[in-house]
Amino acid sequence: MNRDHPYMRHLVNSQSLVTTHEAKRAGFVEAVLEKSRLANDFVWVARSLKIKAEQANEPEDLLDMPDIQAGLLTAAGVSDKAAAYFNEVDRREILLQYVENVLKPAGNKFVEELVYRFLLTRGDTLGGKIRNLVGVWAQRKFSRFIVSELRLSGREFQWFDKQRERWVTADALDDLDDVWAFAWNTGYLPRVLAYNLQVSLIKTDEERLDDKESGTVGKGGKNVDICLLHSTPEQYRSKARRPQVVRDAELYIALGELKGGIDPAGADEHWKTANAHLGRIRRSFAGLPSMPYLFFVGNAIEASMAGEIWNQLENDELANAANLTDDRQAVSLASWLCSL
């Protein structure tokens, strides 16, 4: 075994990658607190809806209360996006049917029925927000380790504000959720670490076959969680030059998969998805001038998948891997990435 491999600085064997019971518990606590915070907004709206709806003597009276019509549509199961597609006549007809077939059969409990169904629909919305947050949490935590590494080493860096689409100095970094990319220099070499970048070079086997048969490079490409590029901030920012950067195989230094879920029940499935994507990256770059370093970072890593990850590390299919719940591992991987 090559002791110079970067993963050997923080891993002893596959068991080192396995998420501990304490880390799982801490992750679940964090998730519960975040879910409660997100749910609070919906609960307060439901309380207001209940108070206003109690002014109605009959379910039909709700139709003549203009300040709760959006809430009625939500309770009827119409999402905010779907509601925008309907005109006033359509919305009125939907609510008429809802009152007649759902609220009237509830009798004098129609207000309770209304509130329960409102919360049921908003529960779906909350679930979507929580699923999106899993990735946000992981990226936020990963960014903290990158920022810490850069600041400890005394390197100047910038970050790309995805809201304003411009590079901002490090001292103006307040909210890590606004970061789309980081930029720094390794020696004299410019580096950009970008999140959720669509890489046109990475395609399915079918897409590559179609390109080969047609003799042209068709559209396509897959999203990659973390991309380390040999690029200046100006090249990456420029809408004219960025496509050239992301199509140049030799500018890719490292590509990584980041899985933020903490639930052990879904860990293997997340790894299967990540592993399939890593395999797709290998095959896509196999016929290109250079192969980037590949790495995996996850929160929930169970014993079975840890064994597979370790085997790929030993076989040089992966250059590095770390459990994000282990600060020592995350610091080591961030240090390696910032040094490439």
Side-chain angles (χ1 to χ4, degrees), residues 253-271:
I253 300 168
L255 298 173
E257 283 288 292
L258 176 64
K259 296 300 178 185
I262 193 63
D263 190 344
D268 283 340
E269 196 60 38
H270 288 315
W271 164 243

Side-chain angles (χ1 to χ4, degrees), residues 68-277:
I68 67 166
Q69 296 307 293
L72 290 178
L73 283 169
T74 298
V78 180
S79 68
D80 296 339
K81 288 184 178 179
Y85 287 97
F86 299 117
N87 58 34
E88 190 61 36
V89 174
D90 295 330
R91 290 193 286 268
R92 182 75 176 184
E93 180 60 29
I94 291 171
L95 292 181
L96 282 170
Q97 294 297 324
Y98 177 66
V99 167
E100 185 67 28
N101 295 291
V102 178
L103 297 185
K104 286 182 70 174
N108 61 3
K109 300 290 186 182
F110 71 90
V111 173
E112 292 181 25
E113 187 72 19
L114 171 67
V115 174
Y116 290 153
R117 289 180 179 271
F118 174 87
L119 288 172
L120 185 63
T121 301
R122 282 301 182 226
D124 285 340
T125 305
L126 178 62
K129 285 179 174 289
I130 290 170
R131 285 190 291 274
N132 289 336
L133 272 175
V134 170
V136 172
W137 288 338
Q139 183 176 305
R140 183 191 306 157
K141 191 171 183 179
F142 189 82
S143 291
R144 287 196 181 107
F145 288 109
I146 295 295
V147 170
S148 297
E149 174 64 26
L150 294 172
R151 284 182 169 155
L152 281 173
S153 62
R155 279 188 275 181
E156 295 183 0
F157 69 93
Q158 303 175 65
W159 59 282
F160 196 85
D161 188 333
K162 65 182 178 183
Q163 302 297 333
R164 293 176 288 177
E165 292 200 6
R166 66 184 181 89
W167 288 103
V168 184
T169 58
D171 57 2
L173 180 55
D174 295 321
D175 189 349
L176 287 170
D177 292 350
D178 291 334
V179 174
W180 190 13
F182 291 105
W184 67 83
N185 281 351
T186 297
Y188 295 103
L189 302 174
R191 296 288 184 258
V192 168
L193 186 144
Y195 291 119
N196 302 311
L197 182 66
Q198 183 168 354
V199 181
S200 57
L201 298 171
I202 303 172
K203 299 185 177 183
T204 64
D205 295 340
E206 292 77 11
E207 288 171 336
R208 290 200 311 278
L209 182 60
D210 289 342
D211 288 351
K212 184 177 181 180
E213 291 178 346
S214 64
T216 60
V217 179
K219 294 183 179 180
K222 300 300 177 184
N223 192 74
V224 180
D225 296 335
I226 306 170
C227 299
L228 182 64
L229 299 162
H230 176 72
S231 169
T232 66
E234 293 73 22
Q235 288 172 326
Y236 186 77
R237 178 185 180 180
S238 170
K239 291 184 178 180
R241 300 177 70 182
R242 188 188 302 163
Q244 299 173 10
V245 172
V246 299
R247 283 199 299 266
D248 190 338
E250 296 187 72
L251 298 184
Y252 286 91
I253 300 168
L255 298 173
E257 283 288 292
L258 176 64
K259 296 300 178 185
I262 193 63
D263 190 344
D268 283 340
E269 196 60 38
H270 288 315
W271 164 243
K272 286 179 182 177
T273 302
N275 191 32
H277 193 31

